[in-house]
Amino acid sequence: MSAMRTPFVHLLTAVVLAVAAAGCIIVVEEDDDYYSELHGSSWYLEIIWIHGHSHRVQQQDYALSFASENELTGTAGCASFTAGYDLADQEIRINRFRTSTFGCQDDDLRSLFLEHLPEVSDLEVDGVQLEMTTEAGNRLVFGR
């Protein structure tokens, strides 16, 4: 009886390991595909939605780049910025936000962008568009 049982136990063990391995691979690939669109990518600001009012951006002077797995860089008109960021699921936390506005004149669009970018908490990317949303519901919409 134990001779018949041994092949069954080996088969059952192989099936369980295969199912467990397949489940892990699917989860890892899904996360990697989602984040692969961000790492090393650059985006240009197209629209800022603040308190129900939209501000369309016509020039590509407002941009951000996911320079590495944890560093964000960009421009806001004549200003530049750097920050750290952490991603988890479709959430982003921007930290250590630093900007240089040396020599810049007052610009309402730049002020809105630099004020709300560090506050974003959610993001959605679909290949050609990146949307970042703050907890207050303000949105920054970027294109490529």
Side-chain angles (χ1 to χ4, degrees):
M1 178 125 174
S2 75
M4 290 179 62
R5 209 172 182 191
T6 302
F8 176 75
V9 170
H10 289 293
L11 178 63
L12 182 60
T13 303
V15 169
V16 168
L17 290 174
V19 169
C24 292
I25 290 170
I26 291 170
V27 171
V28 170
E29 286 176 0
E30 186 176 311
D31 288 343
D32 286 346
D33 288 343
Y34 187 77
Y35 292 130
S36 69
E37 291 188 60
L38 293 178
H39 298 311
S41 65
S42 295
W43 302 85
Y44 298 99
L45 184 65
E46 294 179 341
I47 302 170
I48 298 179
W49 288 87
I50 307 295
H51 307 297
H53 299 285
S54 68
H55 305 272
R56 185 163 290 281
V57 181
Q58 300 297 326
Q59 66 274 24
Q60 293 186 344
D61 296 337
Y62 295 83
L64 61 86
S65 295
F66 290 86
S68 70
E69 289 185 17
N70 60 3
E71 183 183 25
L72 190 66
T73 62
T75 57
C78 67
S80 61
F81 62 87
T82 61
Y85 71 93
D86 298 310
L87 292 173
D89 296 322
Q90 290 184 308
E91 295 179 1
I92 186 169
R93 171 167 283 165
I94 295 178
N95 51 61
R96 300 180 319 274
F97 189 79
R98 298 172 301 279
T99 184
S100 171
T101 57
F102 183 74
C104 294
Q105 296 182 3
D106 288 342
D107 178 346
D108 291 338
L109 182 59
R110 182 181 62 248
S111 296
L112 287 173
F113 182 52
L114 294 177
E115 176 185 345
H116 293 284
L117 181 61
E119 297 175 354
V120 298
S121 57
D122 298 314
L123 66 87
E124 187 174 328
V125 61
D126 70 4
V128 295
Q129 191 172 55
L130 168 70
E131 186 171 315
M132 301 173 121
T133 308
T134 68
E135 287 185 17
N138 299 316
R139 293 182 301 161
L140 305 173
V141 181
F142 297 85
R144 290 197 174 206

